[in-house]
Structures are given as C-alpha cells and as structure tokens.
Amino acid sequence: RRENQFQMRLINIAPLNYLSNLGLPRSSIGLTRQFLSLGEKLKVTEQKLCFMKKCKATRIFPAFILNNCNLNTDILFPNHLPLDFSVLLHKIRILSLNQCIKQLYTDINCLKQHICDTKHQLYLVFSNQWCLHEILSVFETNNLDVKRYYKEHLQNKFYWLLQKHYPYSPPPHTTIVDPSTSTSRVTVIDCNPEEPLNVTEAELDILSLGPKFALPRKVDESLIKE
C-alpha cells in the first residue's frame, strides 16, 4: 500500500516534456516519469517532515490532527465533562503527531530506496550517456524547484498556526534543521534521530567541517614571531 502511494502524477510536467523534445525514447518515458515523480515526492515529504517537527517543537497541532481528534463532548458526556478529559485528548494528539512524524521518516527512507532502484534501471536502459546525464540534471533542477515551492508554502502555513496559537506572546524558541540538508559529516552526541537538532545553522556549519577542525588563532605579531 505504501509503494502504491509513491506512484503519483508529476507536479511539474514541463521537465518530462523537455526531455521528450530532446528525443527521449518513448519506451523509457514511463521509467523517466517515475524517476522524476519520486524525486518530487521526496522533496515534498521532507518539507512535510520539517513542518511537523516545527509543530511538535512549538507545541501546536496541524489542522488535520485537530479535526480528526474533535469529539462531540455534549453527546458523549451529557451530565458533566471529566476533569482529565482535556489532558487525555492532548495526549492523543501528541501520540498522533509523533506517529505521523515517524511515518514520514519511514516514507523518506522508502522513497530514497525507490529512487536508487529506479536510477539503476535507468543506467541499464540508456546506453547513451548524454541522454542519461540530461535526465539526472533535470531531476536535480526539478527537485530544487519543488523543494523551494513547498518550503515556502509550508512555512507560510506554519507562521499562520503560530499567530493563531500565540497571538499575544512569542512562541517557544526552536531551531529545526531541514531534513533535506546534508548532515552526513555532523556528529551529534546523545541525540534521538527522530528529535529536532537543537543547533543553529551557524553551529551546523562549524560541525560539518569535521572533528579535526579548529578555529584559527588571530594573526598578530606574537604569532608571526612564533
């Protein structure tokens, strides 16, 4: 069922039309479409994950969780509302948010695997390296465009939720690292991979330089003499 979810229409059909106009064989259009759509889906899912983690860090809930957790308390409790009901409902929403985040991590890993498999199939199909290079180039460019669009869209949605939940006070301060940003060279000690990295972008840049990196000393006369 999860694999079927990844079979989606292209958000942007222009890249496929561009490749077709370059002379892409008709027999490979379906595979190329799948490759491009998986890339788009990955970027959308990564931005959804970033959005959900921001919601968790600022203790707010997306509308779909609030709507699905709404209950008609007047019918369920005609006499009086239990004192711990609101606490229980809040716990249910937190559980739902955590499971949605966990599922997004799973989807991202599956999408990356599907992309690798599809890319391998493209290498087997195309003997023309120029054509393959064009497909990979269009894949990267289209992914950046999709990421940019959905990042802005979900940021606007998140800011709207912030203003709605914190109209008179500043929200809790948090820093969420974009999941699409490479952190392969960053080592974070005692960090749950499903929790946000509470580091600034500047700190992340420093960490990405590796364990042997050291800040340079200020160049002055004493250093020159040494």
Side-chain angles (χ1 to χ4, degrees), residues 17-30:
N17 291 337
Y18 167 77
L19 291 171
S20 297
N21 292 335
L22 287 180
L24 185 71
R26 294 182 62 88
S27 59
S28 61
I29 288 180

Side-chain angles (χ1 to χ4, degrees), residues 43-63:
K43 294 302 147 184
V44 173
T45 307
E46 287 174 342
Q47 293 309 309
K48 285 182 178 179
L49 174 61
C50 191
F51 169 77
M52 298 288 279
K53 290 171 69 175
K54 285 180 179 178
C55 289
K56 179 179 179 179
T58 51
R59 298 189 292 276
I60 59 179
F61 298 101

Side-chain angles (χ1 to χ4, degrees), residues 29-181:
I29 288 180
L31 187 61
T32 305
R33 178 193 293 272
Q34 179 182 347
F35 185 57
L36 295 175
S37 67
L38 286 171
E40 290 180 342
K41 182 66 175 177
L42 175 62
K43 294 302 147 184
V44 173
T45 307
E46 287 174 342
Q47 293 309 309
K48 285 182 178 179
L49 174 61
C50 191
F51 169 77
M52 298 288 279
K53 290 171 69 175
K54 285 180 179 178
C55 289
K56 179 179 179 179
T58 51
R59 298 189 292 276
I60 59 179
F61 298 101
F64 78 92
I65 290 181
L66 293 175
N67 293 336
N68 288 320
C69 292
N70 281 340
L71 300 174
N72 193 328
T73 55
D74 294 334
I75 296 178
L76 291 174
F77 307 102
N79 294 327
H80 62 85
L81 190 66
L83 296 177
D84 58 349
F85 177 78
S86 59
V87 176
L88 177 61
L89 184 59
H90 184 72
K91 289 182 179 180
I92 292 174
R93 289 170 176 169
I94 291 177
L95 287 172
S96 175
L97 182 59
N98 286 337
Q99 287 208 15
C100 288
I101 290 174
K102 184 177 181 180
Q103 185 59 57
L104 286 171
Y105 274 109
T106 301
D107 289 347
I108 287 174
N109 290 333
C110 289
L111 282 165
K112 288 180 177 180
Q113 184 60 53
H114 286 319
I115 288 173
C116 288
D117 294 342
T118 308
K119 186 176 180 179
H120 178 67
Q121 293 180 48
L122 287 171
Y123 274 104
L124 296 177
V125 168
F126 287 99
S127 57
N128 187 333
Q129 293 298 316
W130 177 85
C131 192
L132 181 60
H133 178 269
E134 281 297 317
I135 293 175
L136 297 178
S137 177
V138 168
F139 176 81
E140 294 295 335
T141 302
N142 188 49
N143 285 353
L144 288 175
D145 292 339
V146 171
K147 173 186 174 180
R148 190 180 301 112
Y149 172 81
Y150 276 90
K151 183 175 184 178
E152 181 180 357
H153 170 70
L154 291 174
Q155 278 182 343
N156 292 336
K157 187 175 181 179
F158 176 69
Y159 293 148
W160 178 83
L161 286 173
L162 281 181
Q163 293 175 359
K164 181 179 179 181
H165 286 79
Y166 299 99
Y168 306 112
S169 60
H173 176 72
T174 183
T175 300
I176 305 295
V177 177
D178 191 326
S180 63
T181 302

Side-chain angles (χ1 to χ4, degrees), residues 212-223:
K212 294 184 179 180
F213 172 76
L215 292 173
R217 293 174 57 183
K218 182 179 180 180
V219 179
D220 52 22
E221 292 183 3
S222 62
L223 180 61

